[in-house]
Amino acid sequence: MTGDRPRDEAPSATTPGGLGDLTPTVQAYLMAAHHLEAAGQSVTPGALADRLGASPSSVTEGVRKLAAMGLARHRPYAPVELTDAGRSFAVAMVRRHRILETFLARCLDYPWDEVHAEADALEHVVSDRFVDALDGFLD
């Protein structure tokens, strides 16, 4: 991880190298890789392309970018591996997404079949302070 942040502390949009420094595309790649890992699937460029609805060539370039940023490791013909930093960012994004989904459903009466798309749009623009406040509000 970057800076003096403890290893188990989630990345922040307000700290150097935090979520706010990652583009929505990089965030999407990290979340997709994390979801594949959590499902016990191999994180291959092809699996990422399927999950993201992207072309294999653009995913190959995206994986190179993740590796250059120190968020993933990839060798030719081998699965992509998230680094500790990449996994921490992915977990922070999943937390953010789930808190937003819960707020939309519980407090704004969004139907569950609509909360995912709305949370996808919001998760890239809300601050950590807002998400933490929602988390406290939702208990």
Side-chain angles (χ1 to χ4, degrees):
M1 293 285 234
T2 59
D4 296 328
R5 184 173 46 248
R7 189 179 177 113
D8 61 345
E9 185 178 323
S12 158
T14 58
T15 57
L19 287 174
D21 292 341
L22 302 179
T23 66
T25 301
V26 169
Q27 292 174 9
Y29 273 74
L30 291 172
M31 284 184 65
H34 176 73
H35 284 295
L36 288 167
E37 280 184 351
Q41 297 178 16
S42 189
V43 183
T44 63
L48 286 171
D50 288 344
R51 180 144 186 105
L52 295 166
S55 71
S57 62
S58 65
V59 169
T60 299
E61 184 56 37
V63 169
R64 277 192 203 119
K65 181 182 272 191
L66 291 179
M69 296 172 76
L71 301 175
R73 287 182 286 280
H74 184 248
R75 295 177 321 276
Y77 309 106
V80 177
E81 291 180 64
L82 292 178
T83 62
D84 288 343
R87 192 166 290 105
S88 291
F89 280 122
V91 168
M93 286 301 303
V94 170
R95 173 184 178 267
R96 174 182 293 245
H97 184 89
R98 289 185 179 157
I99 289 170
L100 288 166
E101 284 182 330
T102 301
F103 174 72
L104 292 165
R106 211 188 278 176
C107 300
L108 301 181
D109 294 323
Y110 269 68
W112 272 109
D113 62 338
E114 294 178 15
V115 296
H116 179 73
E118 198 72 31
D120 269 349
L122 291 170
E123 70 193 13
H124 303 291
V125 295
V126 296
S127 69
D128 284 348
R129 180 175 181 231
F130 180 78
V131 172
D132 290 341
L134 280 183
D135 188 25
F137 176 76
L138 294 168
D139 193 28

